[in-house]
Amino acid sequence: MLDEIPLTRPDTPLLDQIQSPADLRKIEPAQFKDLARELRKFLLYSVGQTGGHFGAGLGVVELTIALHYVFNTPEDRLVWDVGHQTYPHKILTGRRERMLSMRQAGGLAAFPSREESEYDTFGVGHSSTSISAALGMMIAAREQGIDRRTVAIIGDGAMTAGMAFEALNHAGDIDENFLVILNDNNMSISRNVGGLSSYFARMWASRPYNFIRTGSKRVLAKIPPALKAAHRAEEYMKGMVSPGTLFEEIGFNYIGLVDGHNTLELIDILTNIKQLRGPQLLHIVTQKGKGYTASENDPFGMHAMNKIEPKKSSAGVRRAETPSYSAVFGEWLCDMAAQDPLLAAITPAMSAGSGMDGFAEQFPRQFHDVAIAEQHAVTLAAGMACDGLKPVVAIYSTFLQRGYDQLIHDVALQNLDVLFAIDRAGLVGEDGPTHAGSFDLSFLRCIPNMVVMAPSNENEARQMLYTGYCHKGPAAVRYPRGKGPGAPISKTMQALPVGKAVQRRRGHTVAILAFGSLVTTAMAAAEVLDATVIDMRFVKPLDEDLIGEMATRHQLLVTLEENALAGGAGSAVNEFLLREDYRVPVLNLGLPDRFLSHGKVPDMLAAVGLDRDAIIASISHKLLKCKIRSEAV
């Protein structure tokens, strides 16, 4: 057990011998307990240097060793769910010495990536995809006559999503060799791990039991009542010592419960499972944060951590701490609920990240965590809105993509009063493209009945949330990860006039129409260019009157957004100008038409031309081109 995170590289003589799973298979199984200890030490050390997720990874150390020992990876396919748990997998598959580059520009990704390693069979960031992807790989191998094993590793949290059960249902129907490992680290399903359940798990994974099981059923199939009785007896027996009846009904052979920290037992059971035919579900129990005292005591709070920085001197004047946008949302939510008992707050397993923990404590009856089920979260809100509640859905931009059909069909089509508080809009830095909120302005503004807002500072965020809450119909407020510019926040809540922008600076020649997080950057660029700056505030509806005025008064309009250019806020401005036949040059600045890798957000913005100096350069170049054209005419 480790009480502190190592600040210097620990000694790992066994781990240092492993450059690939082939090397792992040369190690004596009796040494695996020492290997697991070294792997945990190195994992904690590397994450301390880079920041990142470590709680889930600590919990699957023994499972990862067993999987790579038993299966012929990368030929056999391991498909990990979510990706938070794959740091040990990366360390054992040739990336140990690159772990200190994790989440940095040009370094290892925070999640499995097909471009990074042949051992990363499927790119992940969103949860509950592993069973579907692994099933697709199994079918592909079957159709090409390839003899390989396919394994999906999914957690109990990810198993709450409907997509996981859709895939399980399909796999049970196909009835091919396929293994799903349910890693239960929350103790939400399974509390009866012990000698008896472990004994039955080994028995259910054994070839003699399965030979007798399938053989007897073939014989008894000729006597339907006997078959039914035998099947029912088997279900009752399993139900006494395991929670596997649901999986058996879907078509899986359930094997569990198994201690996920017993490497030798895992190897024994996995070796037996390789010989079995048909869909198998192995249910293991692990402890999130295993081996590190702080994470064992607080597995949710220690899910991830920032890079450990050297301690700085406390001398000098301390700056006032500014709240994050998530904290602004959380405080507004509490204030709004205190005024309106009909408020209902919904989150798909993102309570802490969305700033809702305080609300959950103060207003437990109005708080609804629906687990990893974004589609359900959106339609649940629609149902609440139908019958008198005022739902607020707190959701990350990247996860709202998963509930898009429900947003259109169940909320917007019926013009229901649902407010979407969309966190992590724009770039998110080290978590990379799977978590970036690059597309919400594009996919929201095309939906009828939607009001879409983008605040430029903390106070605007608070007032926009109130505006959306008061609005009759669906509304969305999208805000970035982290902190804003530090604007004073008014406790008073006042609804903004819908569709009205604000002029922040008056200048000449150029008007910058800035949306949301880039208004501050636009102001800095405008000081150099002596440009007008409009804080557009609303992406839908646009302030068309003010845009028309800017088009008449200026020689160049510039749109600026932290969203994909394709179909984004700038496109909305273009559509208006074209429709109304304004003849003014336009420059659209935003995220390019490609997925951006991970790194520091300021560096990423600079790389795509969205920092102050790059904006100045782009506008100056456009003005020069416009001048050359006018002189040519």
Side-chain angles (χ1 to χ4, degrees):
M1 178 72 71
L2 294 170
D3 295 323
E4 294 183 352
I5 293 175
L7 299 182
T8 58
R9 194 191 192 287
D11 291 330
T12 54
L14 273 176
L15 184 62
D16 293 347
Q17 298 176 31
I18 301 173
Q19 304 303 322
S20 73
D23 298 325
L24 171 67
R25 297 173 197 127
K26 298 174 185 177
I27 293 178
E28 292 296 323
Q31 296 178 292
F32 283 161
K33 184 172 289 187
D34 292 332
L35 176 62
R37 189 179 302 112
E38 291 183 11
L39 188 49
R40 283 193 170 89
K41 286 182 181 179
F42 186 83
L43 171 59
L44 284 169
Y45 161 70
S46 63
V47 176
Q49 299 298 305
T50 64
H53 299 92
F54 69 99
L58 289 174
V60 295
V61 166
E62 289 84 2
L63 174 63
T64 306
I65 292 171
L67 285 169
H68 281 295
Y69 183 82
V70 172
F71 292 96
N72 183 32
T73 54
E75 177 59 25
D76 288 337
R77 306 299 201 233
L78 301 182
V79 184
W80 298 88
D81 212 281
V82 181
H84 295 161
Q85 57 190 332
T86 56
Y87 287 22
H89 161 79
K90 287 179 183 255
I91 293 170
L92 293 176
T93 53
R95 288 167 278 183
R96 182 182 66 249
E97 298 308 318
R98 294 185 62 206
M99 289 298 290
L100 297 190
S101 72
M102 180 76 74
R103 296 159 54 89
Q104 299 171 25
L108 295 181
F111 303 96
S113 168
R114 285 172 55 84
E115 295 180 354
E116 187 176 290
S117 171
E118 63 181 336
Y119 292 93
D120 292 357
T121 59
F122 195 74
V124 257
H126 293 181
S127 83
S128 316
T129 61
S130 60
I131 304 176
S132 297
L135 185 60
M137 294 175 188
M138 184 275 288
I139 293 172
R142 182 191 68 183
E143 294 304 308
Q144 298 173 78
I146 300 172
D147 183 20
R148 72 162 62 106
R149 304 294 300 201
T150 307
V151 184
I153 305 99
I154 185 169
D156 56 322
M159 189 65 92
T160 62
M163 181 178 180
F165 281 91
E166 291 172 12
L168 284 172
N169 185 61
H170 185 200
D173 183 61
I174 289 179
D175 194 31
E176 292 282 351
N177 298 344
F178 184 62
L179 173 60
V180 174
I181 297 177
L182 172 56
N183 173 27
D184 185 352
N185 62 23
N186 196 35
M187 302 300 287
S188 59
I189 306 172
S190 47
R191 296 184 181 272
N192 53 341
V193 177
L196 183 62
S197 64
S198 294
Y199 167 77
F200 278 114
R202 289 193 298 273
M203 183 183 74
W204 294 330
S206 68
R207 294 188 71 184
Y209 169 78
N210 280 275
F211 175 78
I212 295 170
R213 173 177 176 265
T214 55
S216 64
K217 286 185 178 180
R218 281 196 296 270
V219 173
L220 292 171
K222 300 176 182 178
I223 316 173
L227 173 62
K228 184 178 293 186
H231 182 62
R232 184 178 298 135
E234 181 185 27
E235 282 187 345
Y236 287 162
M237 181 188 70
K238 286 192 170 184
M240 290 171 63
V241 294
S242 77
T245 305
L246 169 64
F247 302 112
E248 293 275 351
E249 289 296 330
I250 292 175
F252 278 77
N253 177 41
Y254 174 87
I255 302 166
L257 298 164
V258 175
D259 181 0
H261 298 302
N262 187 328
T263 311
L264 297 181
E265 184 176 60
L266 286 171
I267 289 173
D268 184 39
I269 290 175
L270 289 170
T271 301
N272 285 336
I273 288 175
K274 281 181 67 175
Q275 313 305 316
L276 302 182
R277 188 193 178 286
Q280 313 293 324
L281 189 137
L282 174 61
H283 188 174
I284 71 170
V285 177
T286 62
Q287 182 174 12
K288 192 172 184 178
K290 174 74 172 177
Y292 176 47
T293 304
S295 58
E296 284 192 11
N297 293 335
D298 183 14
F300 298 103
M302 299 297 288
H303 172 66
M305 68 178 175
N306 295 322
K307 174 181 177 180
I308 298 176
E309 301 285 359
K311 292 183 178 179
K312 298 179 181 179
S313 172
S314 59
V317 179
R318 291 188 178 181
R319 298 180 59 188
E321 188 71 15
T322 58
S324 66
Y325 279 104
S326 300
V328 171
F329 166 71
E331 183 176 354
W332 170 82
L333 194 63
C334 291
D335 292 345
M336 197 69 244
Q339 293 185 24
D340 186 0
L342 295 179
L343 182 149
I346 302 168
T347 176
M350 286 287 119
S351 176
S354 297
M356 301 176 72
D357 283 354
F359 176 86
E361 292 179 7
Q362 294 182 50
F363 302 93
R365 289 182 60 84
Q366 293 168 257
F367 174 71
H368 306 273
D369 187 337
V370 301
I372 304 174
E374 294 86 359
Q375 297 177 10
H376 168 58
V378 177
T379 303
L380 175 70
M384 289 177 173
C386 285
D387 278 353
L389 294 185
K390 180 63 179 187
V392 178
V393 180
I395 192 167
Y396 290 7
S397 172
T398 182
F399 298 144
L400 182 57
Q401 296 164 184
R402 311 188 84 185
Y404 191 54
D405 174 67
Q406 289 70 25
L407 175 61
I408 295 173
H409 184 272
D410 298 336
V411 175
L413 181 62
Q414 303 183 92
N415 200 29
L416 296 173
D417 291 350
V418 179
L419 172 62
F420 294 89
I422 304 174
D423 204 337
R424 271 60 166 184
L427 301 178
V428 294
E430 291 88 345
D431 282 343
T434 59
H435 283 57
S438 304
F439 311 109
D440 53 78
L441 293 186
S442 300
F443 70 67
L444 286 172
R445 77 171 192 87
C446 64
I447 303 174
N449 294 332
M450 287 294 302
V451 169
V452 184
M453 293 168 271
S456 62
N457 59 51
E458 299 88 337
N459 188 55
E460 270 199 350
R462 179 176 173 86
Q463 306 310 326
M464 286 181 179
L465 288 164
Y466 182 69
T467 303
Y469 190 84
C470 296
H471 176 71
K472 298 300 181 183
V477 181
R478 62 101 72 169
Y479 43 88
R481 180 182 190 175
K483 299 178 180 180
I489 302 175
S490 172
K491 287 293 291 182
T492 302
M493 292 186 283
Q494 185 173 2
L496 305 176
V498 174
K500 291 301 178 182
V502 174
Q503 182 170 303
R504 299 295 184 193
R505 187 184 190 281
R506 185 179 180 90
H508 303 85
T509 309
V510 177
I512 304 175
L513 311 180
F515 294 85
S517 59
L518 292 181
V519 170
T520 301
T521 310
M523 290 292 289
E527 290 296 328
V528 177
L529 297 167
D530 190 22
T532 296
V533 176
I534 305 297
D535 179 353
M536 290 299 299
R537 302 203 293 189
F538 289 84
V539 178
K540 183 176 186 176
L542 287 171
D543 190 339
E544 296 181 348
D545 291 340
L546 189 55
I547 296 173
E549 180 184 336
M550 294 299 106
T552 303
R553 283 178 25 203
H554 296 81
Q555 298 176 26
L556 174 66
L557 294 188
V558 179
T559 66
L560 189 58
E561 62 189 300
E562 195 174 337
N563 184 84
L565 276 173
S571 293
V573 173
N574 296 347
E575 291 161 10
F576 163 72
L577 294 171
L578 183 63
R579 184 178 74 244
E580 299 301 322
D581 202 27
Y582 282 98
R583 306 298 179 89
V584 58
V586 180
L587 172 63
N588 299 130
L589 298 176
L591 300 180
D593 189 24
R594 67 176 186 273
F595 291 103
L596 302 177
S597 188
H598 50 281
K600 298 291 185 184
V601 171
D603 296 335
M604 296 174 71
L605 289 172
V608 296
L610 293 179
D611 67 339
R612 189 202 73 150
D613 292 344
I615 291 169
I616 292 171
S618 296
I619 293 174
S620 299
H621 180 66
K622 182 71 173 182
L623 284 171
L624 180 61
K625 287 176 65 175
C626 292
K627 181 180 179 182
I628 292 172
R629 286 176 185 163
S630 63
E631 289 177 349
V633 173

